[in-house]
Amino acid sequence: MEKACPLITVFTPSFNRRPYLRLLYDSLKRQTYRRFEWIIVDDGSSDGSNEEVAAFIAEEQIPVRYYFQTNAGKHVAINRGVELAKGELFFIVDSDDILAPHALESVVKHWTDVLALPNAERFAGVCGLRIHPDGAVIGGNVDYGVLDVSAIEYRFKLGYQGDRAEVVRTDIMKRFPYPSFAGERFCADALVWNRIALHYVMRYFSDGIYVCEYLPGGITDTSVRLRQRSPKCACLYYAEMARLPSLTMFQYFKAVINYWRFAVYDKGVSFAEHRRDMNLVLSYLTYPFALLWKLFKH
């Protein structure tokens, strides 16, 4: 790993977000750290996003690479972006969000500090804060300057809430690709973060570097419906979550309940087949409620 001036791959999966791409592009032009590339994988947009990106490329202000794929989901786009990345670090920035001007500089500062540690190899990357446009921290203020823990410890043992801005070594992202099932177009980001966390820690820092608004119709806004339409990914996520270390009993029960909440949408897979992944008693207790939930939702 390089110890100075690492190349950062800023990666953006995009689907019909043409009006917002310009805002992200402008924020990248304002970055105080300039050694980065911007890769966009367009997940089947039909709104002229390609024309907008072509204008960015023509301006030659920052290095931009654009790729189009038939609509397959954000997780498939991320896998492709990782394959294409030239950077040492991989930073996923959604198409309707922007970066603070100091964002990449802050990432490099903290990553450089990590590389100076004798145990640097145990770090998957660094992680800053996501903030609202008014500066409020998503999930509430944090009480640390820097914190070296795994994502599992951060979420389930220490209890920090809210989305974060993960910047991960590209070689590690290549080792932990998102799973993909035919016909499914959604996989929770946390599935990969949890898998990485079983082997590596992150350096969490308290700078607000990633500015976002949760727009109507976005992934966060429609996450329940997306999981219903991608039940195999949803079940895999909750089955693995139920086996994570550091879970409280409440968190474990919640994972089992959510497993069955989406397993009932997995057509052609029986209760007995799904039951192999879950606690027997809890499965029999929660499955009827999942069926009722599905019935009343329709």
Side-chain angles (χ1 to χ4, degrees):
M1 293 182 291
E2 297 177 20
K3 293 191 176 181
C5 301
L7 177 66
I8 300 174
T9 296
V10 177
F11 172 74
T12 298
S14 183
F15 177 67
N16 287 338
R17 282 290 192 252
R18 178 174 183 169
Y20 302 100
L21 285 169
R22 169 66 65 172
L23 298 175
L24 174 53
Y25 172 63
D26 288 343
S27 80
L28 292 175
K29 289 194 297 181
R30 293 192 293 267
Q31 290 303 301
T32 55
Y33 183 82
R34 304 300 297 178
R35 194 159 189 267
F36 69 92
E37 63 172 356
W38 187 24
I39 295 178
I40 302 165
V41 171
D42 187 329
D43 189 34
S45 295
S46 57
D47 65 347
S49 291
N50 58 325
E51 298 171 358
E52 188 75 1
V53 177
F56 304 160
I57 295 172
E59 291 180 17
E60 298 184 339
Q61 296 296 303
I62 60 174
V64 183
R65 288 192 282 152
Y66 172 86
Y67 302 88
F68 184 90
Q69 67 178 29
T70 302
N71 182 249
K74 176 182 175 180
H75 61 302
V76 176
I78 292 173
N79 285 346
R80 188 175 184 194
V82 170
E83 293 173 359
L84 296 165
K86 297 178 181 177
E88 175 187 342
L89 298 172
F90 193 80
F91 190 2
I92 302 170
V93 183
D94 290 338
S95 54
D96 48 7
D97 299 328
I98 65 173
L99 294 182
H102 68 282
L104 299 185
E105 182 178 356
S106 187
V107 165
V108 170
K109 173 189 177 300
H110 289 285
W111 183 237
T112 301
D113 290 344
V114 164
L115 292 179
L117 299 174
N119 58 352
E121 288 297 323
R122 64 190 287 263
F123 285 82
V126 297
C127 186
L129 298 178
R130 294 193 187 204
I131 57 176
H132 293 289
D134 64 1
V137 176
I138 291 173
N141 290 330
V142 298
D143 56 0
Y144 57 82
V146 295
L147 181 65
D148 297 340
V149 294
S150 73
I152 295 169
E153 293 171 310
Y154 187 85
R155 296 292 183 187
F156 300 113
K157 186 176 181 179
L158 300 177
Y160 290 107
Q161 303 295 316
D163 291 338
R164 295 292 179 257
E166 295 90 351
V167 185
V168 181
R169 285 166 40 192
T170 304
D171 65 310
I172 290 178
M173 291 295 295
K174 289 180 178 179
R175 287 174 48 205
F176 293 92
Y178 284 81
S180 180
F181 297 95
E184 296 201 356
R185 290 179 171 79
F186 176 76
C187 181
D189 290 340
L191 186 149
V192 167
W193 303 145
N194 289 341
R195 288 179 173 183
I196 292 173
L198 291 170
H199 304 276
Y200 297 94
V201 299
M202 296 280 285
R203 168 151 291 186
Y204 291 86
F205 59 90
S206 57
D207 297 348
I209 62 171
Y210 187 118
V211 184
C212 57
E213 292 186 85
Y214 296 114
L215 299 173
I219 285 178
T220 301
D221 183 56
T222 60
S223 62
V224 172
R225 187 163 66 250
L226 288 169
R227 284 175 168 85
Q228 291 170 357
R229 295 173 180 173
S230 300
K232 293 186 186 299
C233 275
C235 288
L236 180 62
Y237 169 57
Y238 287 113
E240 291 189 7
M241 180 181 289
R243 295 191 289 269
L244 292 178
S246 302
L247 291 188
T248 65
M249 193 59 69
F250 172 77
Q251 291 163 342
Y252 172 71
F253 286 161
K254 185 177 178 181
V256 174
I257 291 168
N258 276 317
Y259 178 92
W260 287 111
R261 181 184 178 193
F262 298 106
V264 295
Y265 291 91
D266 194 5
K267 297 177 182 178
V269 181
S270 68
F271 170 82
E273 290 175 277
H274 272 299
R275 211 281 305 154
R276 298 190 193 109
D277 292 330
M278 288 287 111
N279 176 281
L280 177 62
V281 175
L282 284 179
S283 295
Y284 280 110
L285 287 174
T286 58
Y287 184 68
F289 290 101
L291 288 174
L292 286 172
W293 183 84
K294 179 183 179 183
L295 178 65
F296 285 109
K297 277 291 181 180
H298 289 278

